[in-house]
Amino acid sequence: MIQNREAFLQTIATQLGHSKPSLMKPERNWKHLPQHEVLKEASADELVEILVEHCANIHTTVKICSQSTLKQTLEETFATYNNGQIIYSDDARFEQLQIESFIAAQQSFKWDPTQGDTNIEIAERANIGLVISDITLAESATIMLQSSAKRGRTLSFLPENSIAIIPKSSIVPRMTQAAEFLRKQSTVASCVSFITGPSNSADIEMNLVVGVHGPVRMTYIIVEDF
């Protein structure tokens, strides 16, 4: 229960010279809205080019495939990371992409909300975390993940290597469109993660250190027809 709200707001209103707090949202007629202008004319293919170009700046490998070649692309990427334990989200889109059975046949574990902390323990030991991006920002090559009981937030943080499948249809110009996407959702996840490549830190004397707070290596796989 919120307490003392009215008294708090009245104090602010008084300091602003008003007799009482305004209950109306102030109208803002901004002259310039640059956030809506950046990349607004870019086509879907151009957004892919921008994303791919930016991946070079964030130390992220990027591959492009179709639904029919996704399985092979994943297999090659798993091998690049020396295979090992894979943990992946309980996401219906794996079935839509027709790779659910392929992943299940690997040394893998699907996030299971009935197993509680066991999921985190397996994520800590896993070599590869595998997720599907909900929205992808071309401008910064950032994926957005909405956590849920079936899609644990540590999937992308604890494994040493991370793979994100990016539906081409999920690619938007920038954060502006991602915010619009979230506003349209009937419910928003308690944790929304924006991830730009592997963990990078240069806090100490500008020396870049990779993997301090998350995965050491990351691969984006863009699926052109999904």
Side-chain angles (χ1 to χ4, degrees):
M1 176 182 293
I2 300 175
Q3 297 179 333
N4 302 318
R5 178 174 59 183
E6 286 72 20
F8 176 76
L9 294 176
Q10 183 60 56
T11 298
I12 295 176
T14 301
Q15 292 298 316
L16 292 174
H18 305 307
S19 60
K20 59 183 180 180
S22 174
L23 300 178
M24 300 294 292
K25 181 180 178 181
E27 184 177 350
R28 305 292 189 191
N29 296 314
W30 305 108
K31 184 177 181 180
H32 302 290
L33 295 170
Q35 69 271 28
H36 295 293
E37 300 299 317
V38 178
L39 299 177
K40 73 173 185 178
E41 303 292 343
S43 67
D45 289 338
E46 289 171 334
L47 291 178
V48 170
E49 291 179 11
I50 293 166
L51 191 155
V52 170
E53 182 178 348
H54 198 72
C55 281
N57 300 326
I58 61 170
H59 313 105
T60 296
T61 301
V62 59
K63 301 180 178 181
I64 300 176
C65 68
S66 64
Q67 290 189 56
S68 62
T69 58
L70 176 58
K71 187 188 301 181
Q72 179 183 349
T73 305
L74 276 173
E75 196 168 29
E76 293 169 354
T77 307
F78 291 160
T80 300
Y81 292 149
N82 296 319
N83 295 301
Q85 176 77 57
I86 300 165
I87 186 168
Y88 64 107
S89 53
D90 186 357
D91 190 326
R93 290 176 293 178
F94 284 116
E95 186 64 40
Q96 295 174 24
L97 287 163
Q98 300 181 3
I99 54 173
E100 174 81 44
S101 58
F102 164 71
I103 298 170
Q106 312 300 309
Q107 182 186 344
S108 63
F109 175 81
K110 179 161 68 175
W111 190 278
D112 183 352
T114 66
Q115 296 199 37
D117 289 346
T118 299
N119 292 286
I120 299 175
E121 293 169 4
I122 293 175
E124 287 178 330
R125 299 194 303 269
N127 184 43
I128 299 170
L130 177 62
V131 296
I132 302 177
S133 176
D134 294 314
I135 285 288
T136 311
L137 317 184
E139 183 185 48
S140 57
T142 299
I143 64 169
M144 186 193 80
L145 305 175
Q146 298 185 91
S147 300
S148 69
K150 296 182 177 182
R151 298 157 66 176
R153 65 191 66 179
T154 56
L155 273 167
S156 298
F157 299 140
L158 294 181
E160 185 172 339
N161 303 291
S162 184
I163 300 173
I165 296 174
I166 297 177
K168 184 177 179 179
S169 59
S170 77
I171 302 175
V172 298
R174 64 200 308 269
M175 183 65 78
T176 305
Q177 290 73 30
E180 291 173 350
F181 170 84
L182 288 172
R183 289 193 195 98
K184 293 177 182 175
Q185 304 301 301
S186 56
T187 57
V188 177
S190 60
C191 177
V192 179
S193 300
F194 290 88
I195 301 172
T196 306
S199 170
N200 288 276
S201 177
D203 294 346
I204 301 175
E205 297 184 355
M206 297 300 288
N207 291 321
L208 178 64
V209 180
V210 178
V212 176
H213 308 296
V216 177
R217 291 168 288 275
M218 193 158 194
T219 295
Y220 289 168
I221 300 178
I222 301 172
V223 183
E224 285 196 301
D225 51 353
F226 186 65

